[in-house]
Amino acid sequence: RKVFPGYVLLNMIMNDDTWYVVRNTRGVTAFVGPGSKPVALTEKEILSMGIEFKKSIDIFEGDTVKVISGPFEESIGVIKEINEHKQIVIVMLSIFGRDTPVELNFLEIEKL
């Protein structure tokens, strides 16, 4: 949807791989922010533009999930808690042989 002509707004997890893809996309000439790094919009700013960014997720407490990005990538865990409003889940991951609660974004997991 055209919000600001000539600009593209992205909802992404910023890491070296995603930054490389965006930076090297044909037609991308600059970024909004100091220097060459983009600045993330706050949730308030996004909502004031009338943009919905919620991702629906088909998981429930007790479901087994795989972490698909971030420092715990490839880990398997069990959903302990889901916060639909904040788009996060608490996943119990085995770290050093102990179950540890880890807060993850909906975009960082997939259901097994």
Side-chain angles (χ1 to χ4, degrees):
R1 177 175 127 212
K2 290 184 181 179
V3 178
F4 298 108
Y7 291 84
V8 176
L9 303 175
L10 297 174
N11 180 15
M12 64 184 244
I13 297 170
M14 184 74 146
N15 60 41
D16 290 340
D17 294 331
T18 57
W19 176 236
Y20 176 82
V21 170
V22 171
R23 198 177 62 236
N24 292 295
T25 299
R26 186 175 33 156
V28 174
T29 58
F31 299 92
V32 176
S36 62
K37 289 279 186 178
V39 174
L41 296 172
T42 65
E43 185 174 336
K44 185 177 177 182
E45 291 169 328
I46 293 169
L47 293 173
S48 71
M49 289 186 272
I51 298 172
E52 285 292 323
F53 62 95
K54 302 269 183 192
K55 176 187 176 195
S56 63
I57 191 162
D58 185 30
I59 59 168
F60 302 95
E61 290 180 18
D63 285 351
T64 302
V65 294
K66 177 180 178 181
V67 182
I68 57 172
S69 67
F72 301 105
E73 189 172 357
E74 301 298 320
S75 298
I76 306 289
V78 176
I79 300 291
K80 179 181 178 186
E81 185 180 322
I82 301 170
N83 185 326
E84 291 273 345
H85 177 70
K86 291 185 177 180
Q87 301 274 293
I88 59 169
V89 292
I90 305 296
V91 180
M92 298 302 288
L93 297 178
S94 180
I95 301 174
F96 300 119
R98 299 181 118 183
D99 279 347
T100 306
V102 176
E103 184 177 292
L104 299 168
N105 185 295
F106 282 4
L107 299 173
E108 296 177 295
I109 60 169
E110 69 180 16
K111 187 174 180 177
L112 289 181

